[in-house]
Amino acid sequence: VPKLQELWALACWPLCEDSGLIREALEYLKGTYRELLAPCGAWCSAHEEAIFQMFAALDLERLPGQVLLSPWVPPQVHLVRLLVQQQPHEQFTAELHQEVLSNSDSLRSIHQQCDKLSNRLNIVEQRTVINKSQINDAIAVTEEHARKRREATLPARRSSLALTSR
């Protein structure tokens, strides 16, 4: 296992993008792990840790999930794979939460602006009602003034008509 670990490091597995090659390496590691755990295998915690590090060097995201469904893939590899898959979700959730907070602030600001505009509209409506009342009062006064003027000129016309008709 120590010799394999040295060779494994030379292969630069974290940089490998070929899924076929990664699958072959995974199958080789599964066989090595099986031999390590066999009754006459050379199991020790250092060897198991070395095997795990070799599994961890592979980009297992490039492989279909069923390839990893084997008793010869250490459970820690599955755990790391799940944690790696969860990181983008956590980051997405954090970004989404930040966006929600930002949008909430924006909505609060818009709500405040709507309240201000609503208050201004109420003031304009009140002024409109007052102006209509003042216009109606002015029309009434004007009509009253015109009526009085007609009444005042009506007797004068009657008398002038009466004088001219004599």
Coordinates of all heavy atoms in Angstrom, one line a residue, residues 29-87:
L29 N -8.8 0.5 -7.0 CA -8.8 0.7 -5.6 C -9.8 -0.2 -4.8 O -9.5 -0.6 -3.7 CB -9.2 2.2 -5.3 CG -8.0 3.2 -5.4 CD1 -8.5 4.6 -5.1 CD2 -6.9 2.9 -4.5
K30 N -10.9 -0.4 -5.4 CA -11.9 -1.3 -4.8 C -11.3 -2.7 -4.6 O -11.4 -3.3 -3.6 CB -13.2 -1.4 -5.7 CG -14.1 -0.2 -5.5 CD -15.2 0.0 -6.5 CE -16.0 -1.2 -7.0 NZ -17.1 -0.8 -7.9
G31 N -10.6 -3.2 -5.6 CA -9.9 -4.5 -5.5 C -8.8 -4.5 -4.4 O -8.7 -5.4 -3.7
T32 N -8.1 -3.4 -4.4 CA -7.0 -3.2 -3.4 C -7.6 -3.2 -2.0 O -7.1 -3.9 -1.1 CB -6.2 -2.0 -3.6 OG1 -5.7 -2.0 -4.9 CG2 -5.0 -1.8 -2.6
Y33 N -8.7 -2.5 -1.8 CA -9.4 -2.4 -0.5 C -9.9 -3.8 -0.1 O -9.8 -4.2 1.0 CB -10.5 -1.4 -0.6 CG -11.1 -1.0 0.8 CD1 -10.3 -0.5 1.8 CD2 -12.4 -1.2 1.0 CE1 -10.9 -0.1 3.0 CE2 -13.0 -0.9 2.2 CZ -12.2 -0.4 3.2 OH -12.8 0.0 4.4
R34 N -10.5 -4.5 -1.1 CA -11.0 -5.9 -0.8 C -9.9 -6.8 -0.4 O -10.0 -7.5 0.6 CB -11.7 -6.4 -2.1 CG -12.3 -7.8 -1.9 CD -13.0 -8.3 -3.1 NE -12.3 -8.3 -4.3 CZ -12.7 -7.5 -5.4 NH1 -13.7 -6.7 -5.3 NH2 -12.0 -7.5 -6.5
E35 N -8.7 -6.7 -1.0 CA -7.6 -7.5 -0.6 C -7.1 -7.1 0.8 O -6.6 -8.0 1.6 CB -6.4 -7.4 -1.6 CG -6.7 -8.1 -3.0 CD -5.6 -7.8 -4.0 OE1 -4.5 -7.4 -3.6 OE2 -5.9 -8.1 -5.2
L36 N -7.1 -5.8 1.0 CA -6.6 -5.3 2.3 C -7.5 -5.9 3.5 O -7.0 -6.2 4.5 CB -6.7 -3.8 2.3 CG -6.1 -3.1 3.5 CD1 -4.6 -3.3 3.6 CD2 -6.4 -1.6 3.5
L37 N -8.8 -6.0 3.2 CA -9.8 -6.4 4.2 C -9.9 -7.9 4.3 O -10.6 -8.5 5.1 CB -11.1 -5.8 4.1 CG -11.2 -4.2 4.2 CD1 -12.6 -3.7 4.0 CD2 -10.7 -3.8 5.6
A38 N -9.3 -8.6 3.3 CA -9.4 -10.1 3.3 C -8.8 -10.7 4.5 O -8.0 -10.1 5.2 CB -8.7 -10.6 2.0
P39 N -9.2 -11.9 4.9 CA -8.7 -12.6 6.1 C -7.2 -12.6 6.2 O -6.6 -12.5 7.3 CB -9.3 -14.0 6.1 CG -10.5 -13.8 5.2 CD -10.3 -12.8 4.2
C40 N -6.5 -12.8 5.1 CA -5.1 -12.9 5.1 C -4.5 -11.6 4.6 O -3.3 -11.6 4.3 CB -4.6 -14.1 4.4 SG -5.1 -14.1 2.6
G41 N -5.2 -10.5 4.6 CA -4.8 -9.2 4.1 C -3.9 -8.5 5.1 O -3.8 -8.9 6.3
A42 N -3.2 -7.5 4.6 CA -2.3 -6.7 5.5 C -2.9 -5.5 6.0 O -2.4 -4.4 5.9 CB -1.0 -6.4 4.7
W43 N -4.1 -5.7 6.7 CA -4.9 -4.5 7.2 C -4.2 -3.9 8.3 O -3.7 -4.6 9.3 CB -6.3 -4.9 7.6 CG -7.1 -3.7 8.0 CD1 -7.8 -3.0 7.3 CD2 -7.1 -3.1 9.3 NE1 -8.4 -1.9 8.0 CE2 -7.9 -2.0 9.3 CE3 -6.5 -3.4 10.6 CZ2 -8.2 -1.2 10.4 CZ3 -6.8 -2.6 11.6 CH2 -7.6 -1.5 11.5
C44 N -4.1 -2.6 8.3 CA -3.7 -1.7 9.5 C -4.3 -0.4 9.2 O -4.7 0.0 8.1 CB -2.2 -1.7 9.7 SG -1.3 -0.7 8.5
S45 N -4.5 0.4 10.3 CA -5.2 1.7 10.1 C -4.4 2.6 9.2 O -5.0 3.4 8.4 CB -5.4 2.3 11.5 OG -4.1 2.6 12.1
A46 N -3.1 2.5 9.1 CA -2.3 3.4 8.2 C -2.6 3.0 6.8 O -2.7 3.9 5.9 CB -0.8 3.2 8.5
H47 N -2.7 1.7 6.5 CA -3.0 1.3 5.1 C -4.4 1.8 4.7 O -4.7 2.2 3.6 CB -2.9 -0.2 5.0 CG -1.5 -0.6 5.0 ND1 -1.1 -2.0 5.2 CD2 -0.3 0.0 4.9 CE1 0.2 -2.1 5.2 NE2 0.7 -0.9 5.0
E48 N -5.4 1.6 5.7 CA -6.7 2.0 5.4 C -6.8 3.5 5.1 O -7.5 4.0 4.2 CB -7.7 1.6 6.5 CG -9.1 1.8 6.1 CD -10.1 1.1 7.1 OE1 -9.7 0.5 8.1 OE2 -11.3 1.2 6.8
E49 N -6.1 4.3 5.9 CA -6.1 5.7 5.8 C -5.4 6.1 4.4 O -5.9 7.0 3.7 CB -5.3 6.4 6.9 CG -5.1 7.9 6.7 CD -6.4 8.7 6.8 OE1 -7.3 8.2 7.5 OE2 -6.4 9.8 6.2
A50 N -4.4 5.4 4.0 CA -3.8 5.6 2.7 C -4.7 5.3 1.6 O -4.9 6.1 0.6 CB -2.5 4.8 2.5
I51 N -5.5 4.2 1.7 CA -6.5 3.8 0.7 C -7.6 4.9 0.6 O -8.0 5.4 -0.5 CB -7.1 2.5 1.0 CG1 -6.1 1.4 0.8 CG2 -8.3 2.2 0.1 CD1 -5.7 1.0 -0.6
F52 N -8.0 5.4 1.7 CA -9.0 6.4 1.8 C -8.5 7.7 1.1 O -9.2 8.3 0.3 CB -9.5 6.7 3.2 CG -10.4 7.9 3.3 CD1 -11.7 7.8 2.8 CD2 -9.9 9.1 3.8 CE1 -12.5 8.9 2.9 CE2 -10.8 10.2 3.9 CZ -12.1 10.1 3.4
Q53 N -7.3 8.1 1.3 CA -6.7 9.3 0.7 C -6.6 9.1 -0.8 O -6.8 10.0 -1.6 CB -5.3 9.6 1.2 CG -5.4 10.1 2.6 CD -4.0 10.4 3.2 OE1 -3.0 10.1 2.6 NE2 -4.0 10.8 4.5
M54 N -6.4 7.9 -1.3 CA -6.3 7.6 -2.7 C -7.7 7.7 -3.3 O -7.9 8.3 -4.4 CB -5.7 6.2 -3.0 CG -4.2 6.2 -2.7 SD -3.5 4.6 -3.2 CE -3.4 3.8 -1.6
F55 N -8.7 7.2 -2.6 CA -10.1 7.4 -3.0 C -10.5 8.8 -3.1 O -11.1 9.3 -4.1 CB -11.1 6.7 -2.1 CG -11.4 5.2 -2.4 CD1 -10.9 4.2 -1.6 CD2 -12.2 4.9 -3.5 CE1 -11.2 2.9 -1.9 CE2 -12.5 3.6 -3.8 CZ -12.0 2.6 -3.0
A56 N -10.1 9.6 -2.1 CA -10.4 11.0 -2.0 C -9.7 11.8 -3.1 O -10.2 12.9 -3.5 CB -10.0 11.6 -0.7
A57 N -8.6 11.3 -3.7 CA -7.9 12.0 -4.8 C -8.7 11.9 -6.1 O -8.5 12.8 -7.0 CB -6.5 11.5 -4.9
L58 N -9.6 11.0 -6.2 CA -10.4 10.8 -7.4 C -11.6 11.8 -7.5 O -12.2 12.0 -6.4 CB -10.9 9.4 -7.5 CG -9.8 8.3 -7.6 CD1 -10.5 6.9 -7.6 CD2 -9.0 8.4 -8.9
D59 N -11.9 12.3 -8.6 CA -13.0 13.1 -8.8 C -14.2 12.2 -9.1 O -14.6 12.0 -10.2 CB -12.8 14.1 -10.0 CG -13.9 15.2 -10.1 OD1 -14.9 15.1 -9.2 OD2 -13.9 16.0 -11.0
L60 N -14.8 11.7 -8.0 CA -15.9 10.8 -8.2 C -17.2 11.4 -8.7 O -18.1 10.7 -9.0 CB -16.2 10.1 -6.8 CG -14.9 9.3 -6.3 CD1 -15.2 8.7 -4.9 CD2 -14.5 8.2 -7.3
E61 N -17.3 12.7 -8.7 CA -18.5 13.4 -9.3 C -18.6 13.1 -10.8 O -19.7 13.2 -11.3 CB -18.4 14.9 -9.0 CG -18.5 15.3 -7.6 CD -19.9 15.0 -7.1 OE1 -20.9 15.3 -7.7 OE2 -20.0 14.4 -6.0
R62 N -17.6 12.7 -11.4 CA -17.6 12.5 -12.9 C -18.2 11.1 -13.2 O -18.4 10.8 -14.3 CB -16.2 12.6 -13.5 CG -15.7 14.0 -13.3 CD -14.3 14.1 -14.1 NE -13.8 15.4 -14.0 CZ -14.2 16.5 -14.8 NH1 -15.1 16.3 -15.7 NH2 -13.7 17.6 -14.6
L63 N -18.4 10.3 -12.1 CA -18.9 8.9 -12.3 C -20.3 8.8 -11.9 O -20.8 9.5 -11.0 CB -18.1 7.9 -11.5 CG -16.6 7.9 -11.8 CD1 -15.9 6.9 -10.8 CD2 -16.3 7.5 -13.2
P64 N -21.1 7.9 -12.5 CA -22.5 7.6 -12.1 C -22.5 7.1 -10.7 O -21.6 6.4 -10.3 CB -23.0 6.6 -13.1 CG -21.9 6.1 -13.9 CD -20.7 7.0 -13.7
G65 N -23.5 7.4 -10.0 CA -23.6 7.0 -8.6 C -23.6 5.5 -8.3 O -23.1 5.0 -7.3
Q66 N -24.2 4.7 -9.3 CA -24.2 3.3 -9.1 C -22.9 2.6 -9.1 O -22.7 1.5 -8.5 CB -25.2 2.6 -10.1 CG -24.7 2.6 -11.5 CD -25.3 3.8 -12.3 OE1 -25.8 4.7 -11.7 NE2 -25.3 3.7 -13.6
V67 N -21.9 3.3 -9.6 CA -20.5 2.7 -9.6 C -19.9 2.6 -8.2 O -19.2 1.7 -7.9 CB -19.6 3.6 -10.5 CG1 -18.1 3.2 -10.4 CG2 -20.0 3.5 -12.0
L68 N -20.4 3.6 -7.4 CA -19.9 3.6 -6.0 C -20.6 2.7 -5.1 O -20.3 2.5 -3.9 CB -20.0 5.0 -5.5 CG -19.2 6.1 -6.2 CD1 -19.5 7.5 -5.7 CD2 -17.7 5.8 -6.0
L69 N -21.7 2.0 -5.6 CA -22.5 1.1 -4.7 C -21.8 -0.2 -4.7 O -22.2 -1.2 -5.4 CB -23.9 1.0 -5.3 CG -24.7 2.3 -5.3 CD1 -26.1 2.1 -5.9 CD2 -24.9 2.9 -3.9
S70 N -20.9 -0.3 -3.8 CA -20.1 -1.5 -3.6 C -19.6 -1.6 -2.2 O -19.3 -0.6 -1.6 CB -18.8 -1.5 -4.6 OG -17.9 -2.4 -4.2
P71 N -19.6 -2.8 -1.7 CA -19.1 -2.9 -0.3 C -17.6 -2.6 -0.2 O -17.0 -2.4 0.9 CB -19.4 -4.3 0.1 CG -19.5 -5.1 -1.2 CD -20.0 -4.1 -2.2
W72 N -16.9 -2.5 -1.3 CA -15.5 -2.2 -1.3 C -15.1 -0.8 -1.5 O -14.0 -0.4 -1.7 CB -14.8 -3.1 -2.4 CG -15.2 -4.5 -2.2 CD1 -15.9 -5.3 -3.1 CD2 -15.0 -5.4 -1.1 NE1 -16.1 -6.5 -2.6 CE2 -15.6 -6.6 -1.4 CE3 -14.4 -5.2 0.1 CZ2 -15.5 -7.7 -0.5 CZ3 -14.4 -6.2 1.0 CH2 -14.9 -7.5 0.7
V73 N -16.1 0.1 -1.4 CA -15.9 1.5 -1.4 C -16.1 1.9 0.1 O -17.2 1.7 0.6 CB -16.8 2.3 -2.3 CG1 -16.7 3.8 -2.1 CG2 -16.6 1.9 -3.7
P74 N -15.1 2.4 0.8 CA -15.2 2.8 2.2 C -16.4 3.8 2.4 O -16.6 4.7 1.6 CB -13.9 3.4 2.6 CG -12.9 3.0 1.5 CD -13.8 2.8 0.3
P75 N -17.1 3.6 3.5 CA -18.2 4.5 3.8 C -17.8 6.0 3.9 O -18.5 6.9 3.6 CB -18.8 4.0 5.2 CG -18.0 2.9 5.6 CD -16.9 2.6 4.5
Q76 N -16.5 6.2 4.3 CA -16.0 7.6 4.4 C -16.0 8.3 3.0 O -16.3 9.5 2.9 CB -14.6 7.6 5.0 CG -14.5 7.1 6.4 CD -14.1 5.6 6.4 OE1 -14.5 4.8 5.5 NE2 -13.4 5.2 7.5
V77 N -15.8 7.5 2.0 CA -15.8 8.0 0.6 C -17.2 8.5 0.3 O -17.4 9.6 -0.3 CB -15.3 7.0 -0.4 CG1 -15.5 7.4 -1.8 CG2 -13.9 6.6 -0.1
H78 N -18.2 7.7 0.6 CA -19.6 8.1 0.4 C -19.9 9.4 1.2 O -20.6 10.3 0.7 CB -20.6 7.0 0.8 CG -20.5 5.8 -0.1 ND1 -20.9 5.8 -1.4 CD2 -20.0 4.6 0.2 CE1 -20.7 4.6 -1.9 NE2 -20.1 3.8 -1.0
L79 N -19.5 9.4 2.4 CA -19.7 10.6 3.3 C -19.1 11.9 2.7 O -19.7 12.9 2.6 CB -19.2 10.4 4.7 CG -19.4 11.5 5.7 CD1 -20.9 11.8 5.9 CD2 -18.7 11.2 7.0
V80 N -17.8 11.7 2.2 CA -17.2 12.9 1.6 C -17.9 13.3 0.4 O -18.1 14.5 0.1 CB -15.7 12.6 1.4 CG1 -15.0 13.6 0.5 CG2 -14.9 12.5 2.7
R81 N -18.3 12.3 -0.4 CA -19.0 12.6 -1.7 C -20.3 13.4 -1.4 O -20.6 14.4 -2.0 CB -19.3 11.4 -2.4 CG -20.0 11.6 -3.8 CD -20.0 10.3 -4.5 NE -20.7 10.5 -5.8 CZ -21.9 10.0 -6.1 NH1 -22.6 9.4 -5.2 NH2 -22.4 10.2 -7.3
L82 N -21.0 13.0 -0.4 CA -22.3 13.6 0.0 C -22.0 15.1 0.5 O -22.7 16.0 0.2 CB -23.0 12.8 1.1 CG -23.7 11.5 0.6 CD1 -24.2 10.7 1.7 CD2 -24.7 11.8 -0.5
L83 N -20.9 15.2 1.3 CA -20.6 16.5 1.8 C -20.2 17.5 0.6 O -20.6 18.7 0.6 CB -19.5 16.5 2.8 CG -19.8 15.9 4.2 CD1 -18.6 15.7 5.0 CD2 -20.9 16.7 4.9
V84 N -19.5 16.9 -0.3 CA -19.1 17.8 -1.5 C -20.3 18.1 -2.3 O -20.4 19.3 -2.8 CB -18.1 17.0 -2.4 CG1 -17.9 17.6 -3.7 CG2 -16.7 16.9 -1.6
Q85 N -21.3 17.2 -2.4 CA -22.5 17.5 -3.1 C -23.3 18.6 -2.4 O -24.0 19.4 -3.0 CB -23.4 16.3 -3.3 CG -22.8 15.3 -4.4 CD -23.7 14.1 -4.5 OE1 -24.4 13.7 -3.6 NE2 -23.5 13.4 -5.6
Q86 N -23.3 18.5 -1.1 CA -24.1 19.4 -0.2 C -23.5 20.8 -0.2 O -24.3 21.8 -0.1 CB -24.1 18.9 1.2 CG -25.1 19.7 2.1 CD -25.1 19.1 3.5 OE1 -24.5 18.1 3.8 NE2 -25.9 19.7 4.3
Q87 N -22.2 21.0 -0.4 CA -21.6 22.4 -0.4 C -22.3 23.3 -1.4 O -22.6 24.4 -1.0 CB -20.1 22.3 -0.6 CG -19.3 22.0 0.6 CD -17.9 22.0 0.4 OE1 -17.4 21.7 -0.7 NE2 -17.1 22.3 1.4

